[in-house]
Amino acid sequence: MSIQWKGVFPAVTTKLNPDFSLDLDALRQGLERLIANGVGGVVMMGMVGENAQLLPDEKLTVLRTAVETVRGRVPVISGVAETGTARAAAFAQEAAKIGVNGLMVFPGLTYKSDNRETVAFYRTVAEATALPILLYNNPRGYGVDLTPDVVAELLEAPTIVAIKEESYDTTRVTDLITRFGDRLAVVCGVDDLILESAALGVTAWVSGMANAVPKASVDLLRLAAEGDFVRARKLYAALTPLFHLDTVVKLVQHIKLAEHLITGSAETVKPPRLDLAGAERERTIAITKQTLADLSALGY
């Protein structure tokens, strides 16, 4: 299946039992809900999917479950988040064997590589598989910035075809689109910058909070793509307080709690993360409830 890079691609939460083991039934149910609400694809084991906290066999189990559940209805993209180049390349090959349709490749974790090292890392992973690659650019989170000049070098690898842009700088969106045109799909990676990014020409969005509010998220991007910014702004205003929670350190906990309130799925996260507690938890509950009320007023 080719990936069109259009629509909402939720960074799917990895559902867990109270003992932190995988809850595969809940994972399947969550995927079915996302597909029923019109997502363009699913990203398994991004940051929101707690990739770095999963054991190697758990990662492969998540991918097998996703591929078996989705059954080709939308593309399945696997996160690749490893500390070493060889491990990243090996995981990319294992993911390809399972049948995923693409890879979202993080920079090498824990080490802040310079540009030469970053290019070498991504080229090695790209050479290990024929799958299309979505670069993950999150300099705030990982200390590595895939600037347009670095991207130009990376695009010498034909399978590197898209970038999840999460520099929080919308001018970067324009710079990338202007410089690379159809050679590179620029994908929004920040929930509370999606309308701004769509206005600049972005047509795909890897979203965390779309796990909680998939229908409204799909509609928001569709309205923007259709140029209906009057309606899009009203919907965005209702969603933005919730979307702000996608941009903080505890985004996984916030997203899982919001999803729990809406669908009943467990909010359990893998340590060292802990479930939200006290005033922090109550604030997220209040934001989620207010968002649902505001969405209801708009017909959701």
Side-chain angles (χ1 to χ4, degrees):
M1 175 186 291
S2 62
I3 304 172
Q4 300 304 312
W5 304 112
K6 293 183 184 298
V8 180
F9 290 67
V12 179
T13 52
T14 300
K15 308 299 189 295
L16 302 172
N17 292 306
D19 64 356
F20 309 117
S21 62
L22 298 175
D23 186 342
L24 297 182
D25 285 340
L27 180 62
R28 295 184 188 99
Q29 292 168 11
L31 287 167
E32 290 291 353
R33 174 173 173 263
L34 294 173
I35 293 171
N37 280 282
V39 302
V42 291
V43 178
M44 311 307 299
M45 297 184 311
M47 180 195 293
V48 173
E50 300 175 79
N51 189 316
Q53 285 68 53
L54 297 178
L55 297 172
D57 63 320
E58 290 178 324
K59 295 182 183 186
L60 298 180
T61 298
V62 167
L63 291 187
R64 291 190 190 97
T65 302
V67 169
E68 292 167 0
T69 301
V70 171
R71 301 191 309 279
R73 288 174 288 175
V74 297
V76 176
I77 299 171
S78 172
V80 179
E82 303 293 337
T83 56
T85 303
R87 284 191 290 273
F91 184 82
Q93 292 173 335
E94 289 299 313
K97 292 177 185 176
I98 289 171
V100 304
N101 305 108
L103 304 171
M104 182 176 76
V105 183
F106 292 62
L109 298 185
T110 72
Y111 177 66
K112 296 181 180 180
S113 55
D114 66 20
N115 290 347
R116 181 174 65 93
E117 293 168 325
T118 299
V119 169
F121 169 81
Y122 276 108
R123 282 179 173 168
T124 301
V125 177
E127 289 168 358
T129 175
L131 289 174
I133 289 174
L134 169 69
L135 303 170
Y136 190 135
N137 188 40
N138 183 355
R140 284 191 187 183
Y142 302 107
V144 176
D145 192 1
L146 303 180
T147 66
D149 286 343
V150 172
V151 171
E153 291 190 65
L154 293 176
L155 291 184
E156 294 175 10
T159 54
I160 294 177
V161 297
I163 183 168
K164 179 178 183 271
E165 175 48 41
E166 200 168 336
S167 66
Y168 295 83
D169 179 1
T170 53
T171 62
R172 184 70 67 84
V173 172
T174 298
D175 290 343
L176 290 167
I177 291 174
T178 300
R179 183 165 177 177
F180 301 115
D182 293 339
R183 174 64 183 85
L184 180 74
V186 180
V187 178
C188 179
V190 185
D191 281 2
D192 61 5
L193 285 179
I194 180 55
L195 192 57
E196 296 86 337
S197 299
L200 295 172
V202 165
T203 60
W205 171 24
V206 174
S207 169
M209 273 300 174
N211 285 284
V213 285
K215 177 67 164 59
S217 299
V218 167
D219 285 352
L220 176 61
L221 185 55
R222 176 183 56 78
L223 289 169
E226 293 172 353
D228 190 347
F229 286 98
V230 172
R231 292 173 64 196
R233 283 194 295 269
K234 290 180 181 178
L235 182 52
Y236 198 35
L239 291 166
T240 296
L242 193 64
F243 286 174
H244 286 327
L245 298 176
D246 174 71
T247 68
V248 298
V249 171
K250 294 184 181 179
L251 76 164
V252 178
Q253 291 95 314
H254 293 301
I255 291 166
K256 279 195 164 182
L257 176 53
E259 196 177 5
H260 165 72
L261 294 169
I262 294 169
T263 72
S265 62
E267 62 185 285
T268 307
V269 290
K270 278 228 180 193
R273 290 184 177 91
L274 296 176
D275 296 353
L276 297 176
E280 191 173 35
R281 187 173 189 274
E282 292 306 313
R283 179 175 179 270
T284 296
I285 291 172
I287 290 172
T288 303
K289 289 182 176 179
Q290 185 61 55
T291 299
L292 293 176
D294 292 341
L295 289 175
S296 179
L298 293 174
Y300 287 88

